[in-house]
PDB file of all heavy atoms in Angstrom:
ATOM      1  N   PRO A  52      -1.747  35.243  31.375  1.00  0.00           N
ATOM      2  CA  PRO A  52      -2.640  34.450  30.447  1.00  0.00           C
ATOM      3  C   PRO A  52      -2.202  34.524  28.933  1.00  0.00           C
ATOM      4  O   PRO A  52      -1.721  35.547  28.550  1.00  0.00           O
ATOM      5  CB  PRO A  52      -3.994  35.118  30.559  1.00  0.00           C
ATOM      6  CG  PRO A  52      -3.646  36.485  31.093  1.00  0.00           C
ATOM      7  CD  PRO A  52      -2.386  36.356  31.838  1.00  0.00           C
ATOM      8  N   TYR A  54      -3.582  33.400  25.079  1.00  0.00           N
ATOM      9  CA  TYR A  54      -4.760  32.870  24.432  1.00  0.00           C
ATOM     10  C   TYR A  54      -4.653  31.512  23.888  1.00  0.00           C
ATOM     11  O   TYR A  54      -3.593  31.223  23.225  1.00  0.00           O
ATOM     12  CB  TYR A  54      -5.198  33.852  23.201  1.00  0.00           C
ATOM     13  CG  TYR A  54      -6.404  33.335  22.447  1.00  0.00           C
ATOM     14  CD1 TYR A  54      -7.652  33.326  22.965  1.00  0.00           C
ATOM     15  CD2 TYR A  54      -6.208  32.768  21.236  1.00  0.00           C
ATOM     16  CE1 TYR A  54      -8.753  32.818  22.288  1.00  0.00           C
ATOM     17  CE2 TYR A  54      -7.335  32.283  20.479  1.00  0.00           C
ATOM     18  CZ  TYR A  54      -8.575  32.319  21.087  1.00  0.00           C
ATOM     19  OH  TYR A  54      -9.662  31.771  20.347  1.00  0.00           O
ATOM     20  N   SER A  57      -4.133  29.344  28.164  1.00  0.00           N
ATOM     21  CA  SER A  57      -4.559  29.549  29.556  1.00  0.00           C
ATOM     22  C   SER A  57      -5.752  30.458  29.556  1.00  0.00           C
ATOM     23  O   SER A  57      -6.089  31.048  30.530  1.00  0.00           O
ATOM     24  CB  SER A  57      -3.552  29.925  30.464  1.00  0.00           C
ATOM     25  OG  SER A  57      -2.845  31.088  29.972  1.00  0.00           O
ATOM     26  N   THR A  58      -6.449  30.593  28.490  1.00  0.00           N
ATOM     27  CA  THR A  58      -7.708  31.425  28.487  1.00  0.00           C
ATOM     28  C   THR A  58      -8.811  30.592  27.753  1.00  0.00           C
ATOM     29  O   THR A  58      -8.670  29.579  27.157  1.00  0.00           O
ATOM     30  CB  THR A  58      -7.423  32.684  27.560  1.00  0.00           C
ATOM     31  OG1 THR A  58      -7.394  32.372  26.218  1.00  0.00           O
ATOM     32  CG2 THR A  58      -6.318  33.497  28.061  1.00  0.00           C
ATOM     33  N   GLY A  59     -10.038  31.246  27.837  1.00  0.00           N
ATOM     34  CA  GLY A  59     -11.170  30.759  27.039  1.00  0.00           C
ATOM     35  C   GLY A  59     -11.027  31.048  25.620  1.00  0.00           C
ATOM     36  O   GLY A  59      -9.977  31.569  25.189  1.00  0.00           O
ATOM     37  N   PHE A  60     -11.989  30.862  24.752  1.00  0.00           N
ATOM     38  CA  PHE A  60     -11.888  30.989  23.359  1.00  0.00           C
ATOM     39  C   PHE A  60     -12.978  31.923  22.769  1.00  0.00           C
ATOM     40  O   PHE A  60     -13.951  32.113  23.331  1.00  0.00           O
ATOM     41  CB  PHE A  60     -12.085  29.634  22.720  1.00  0.00           C
ATOM     42  CG  PHE A  60     -11.260  28.579  23.329  1.00  0.00           C
ATOM     43  CD1 PHE A  60     -11.796  27.429  23.909  1.00  0.00           C
ATOM     44  CD2 PHE A  60      -9.772  28.649  23.156  1.00  0.00           C
ATOM     45  CE1 PHE A  60     -11.016  26.451  24.539  1.00  0.00           C
ATOM     46  CE2 PHE A  60      -9.016  27.660  23.751  1.00  0.00           C
ATOM     47  CZ  PHE A  60      -9.586  26.485  24.417  1.00  0.00           C
ATOM     48  N   GLY A  61     -12.620  32.550  21.584  1.00  0.00           N
ATOM     49  CA  GLY A  61     -13.504  33.400  20.965  1.00  0.00           C
ATOM     50  C   GLY A  61     -13.983  34.534  21.791  1.00  0.00           C
ATOM     51  O   GLY A  61     -13.079  35.251  22.376  1.00  0.00           O
ATOM     52  N   ALA A  62     -15.267  34.630  21.978  1.00  0.00           N
ATOM     53  CA  ALA A  62     -15.805  35.824  22.764  1.00  0.00           C
ATOM     54  C   ALA A  62     -15.527  35.566  24.197  1.00  0.00           C
ATOM     55  O   ALA A  62     -15.710  36.555  25.099  1.00  0.00           O
ATOM     56  CB  ALA A  62     -17.289  35.939  22.459  1.00  0.00           C
ATOM     57  N   LEU A  63     -15.073  34.414  24.593  1.00  0.00           N
ATOM     58  CA  LEU A  63     -14.907  34.034  26.031  1.00  0.00           C
ATOM     59  C   LEU A  63     -13.304  34.072  26.387  1.00  0.00           C
ATOM     60  O   LEU A  63     -12.880  33.529  27.379  1.00  0.00           O
ATOM     61  CB  LEU A  63     -15.390  32.725  26.373  1.00  0.00           C
ATOM     62  CG  LEU A  63     -16.864  32.476  26.142  1.00  0.00           C
ATOM     63  CD1 LEU A  63     -17.313  31.140  26.407  1.00  0.00           C
ATOM     64  CD2 LEU A  63     -17.750  33.539  26.957  1.00  0.00           C
ATOM     65  N   ALA A  64     -12.584  34.768  25.398  1.00  0.00           N
ATOM     66  CA  ALA A  64     -11.097  34.759  25.597  1.00  0.00           C
ATOM     67  C   ALA A  64     -10.583  35.559  26.713  1.00  0.00           C
ATOM     68  O   ALA A  64      -9.405  35.489  27.106  1.00  0.00           O
ATOM     69  CB  ALA A  64     -10.396  35.281  24.269  1.00  0.00           C
ATOM     70  N   THR A  65     -11.452  36.440  27.332  1.00  0.00           N
ATOM     71  CA  THR A  65     -10.945  37.285  28.463  1.00  0.00           C
ATOM     72  C   THR A  65     -10.851  36.559  29.755  1.00  0.00           C
ATOM     73  O   THR A  65     -10.269  37.030  30.735  1.00  0.00           O
ATOM     74  CB  THR A  65     -11.938  38.382  28.605  1.00  0.00           C
ATOM     75  OG1 THR A  65     -13.305  37.876  28.813  1.00  0.00           O
ATOM     76  CG2 THR A  65     -11.968  39.354  27.474  1.00  0.00           C
ATOM     77  N   ARG A  66     -11.354  35.278  29.871  1.00  0.00           N
ATOM     78  CA  ARG A  66     -11.297  34.531  31.036  1.00  0.00           C
ATOM     79  C   ARG A  66      -9.930  33.813  31.200  1.00  0.00           C
ATOM     80  O   ARG A  66      -9.681  32.997  30.270  1.00  0.00           O
ATOM     81  CB  ARG A  66     -12.452  33.583  31.285  1.00  0.00           C
ATOM     82  CG  ARG A  66     -12.315  32.860  32.623  1.00  0.00           C
ATOM     83  CD  ARG A  66     -13.480  31.982  32.868  1.00  0.00           C
ATOM     84  NE  ARG A  66     -13.225  31.079  34.063  1.00  0.00           N
ATOM     85  CZ  ARG A  66     -14.075  30.133  34.489  1.00  0.00           C
ATOM     86  NH1 ARG A  66     -15.166  29.891  33.839  1.00  0.00           N
ATOM     87  NH2 ARG A  66     -13.621  29.401  35.582  1.00  0.00           N
ATOM     88  N   HIS A  67      -9.268  34.032  32.296  1.00  0.00           N
ATOM     89  CA  HIS A  67      -8.055  33.264  32.624  1.00  0.00           C
ATOM     90  C   HIS A  67      -8.461  31.956  33.310  1.00  0.00           C
ATOM     91  O   HIS A  67      -9.281  31.903  34.174  1.00  0.00           O
ATOM     92  CB  HIS A  67      -7.122  34.009  33.488  1.00  0.00           C
ATOM     93  CG  HIS A  67      -5.825  33.333  33.772  1.00  0.00           C
ATOM     94  ND1 HIS A  67      -5.437  32.944  35.082  1.00  0.00           N
ATOM     95  CD2 HIS A  67      -4.851  32.867  33.010  1.00  0.00           C
ATOM     96  CE1 HIS A  67      -4.296  32.318  35.026  1.00  0.00           C
ATOM     97  NE2 HIS A  67      -3.855  32.250  33.768  1.00  0.00           N
ATOM     98  N   ILE A  68      -7.893  30.763  32.608  1.00  0.00           N
ATOM     99  CA  ILE A  68      -8.300  29.381  33.148  1.00  0.00           C
ATOM    100  C   ILE A  68      -7.243  28.917  34.074  1.00  0.00           C
ATOM    101  O   ILE A  68      -5.995  28.844  33.643  1.00  0.00           O
ATOM    102  CB  ILE A  68      -8.555  28.525  31.931  1.00  0.00           C
ATOM    103  CG1 ILE A  68      -9.597  29.082  30.976  1.00  0.00           C
ATOM    104  CG2 ILE A  68      -9.012  27.160  32.518  1.00  0.00           C
ATOM    105  CD1 ILE A  68     -10.919  29.448  31.592  1.00  0.00           C
ATOM    106  N   GLN A 415     -17.771  38.450  17.821  1.00  0.00           N
ATOM    107  CA  GLN A 415     -16.439  38.419  17.740  1.00  0.00           C
ATOM    108  C   GLN A 415     -15.994  37.896  16.403  1.00  0.00           C
ATOM    109  O   GLN A 415     -15.024  38.467  15.795  1.00  0.00           O
ATOM    110  CB  GLN A 415     -15.837  37.452  18.937  1.00  0.00           C
ATOM    111  CG  GLN A 415     -14.412  37.120  18.862  1.00  0.00           C
ATOM    112  CD  GLN A 415     -13.551  38.309  19.357  1.00  0.00           C
ATOM    113  OE1 GLN A 415     -14.027  39.313  19.871  1.00  0.00           O
ATOM    114  NE2 GLN A 415     -12.178  38.151  19.142  1.00  0.00           N
TER     115      GLN A 415
END
Side-chain angles (χ1 to χ4, degrees):
Y54 177 68
S57 52
T58 69
F60 309 114
L63 303 176
T65 55
R66 179 177 171 182
H67 182 243
I68 307 299
Q415 175 72 6

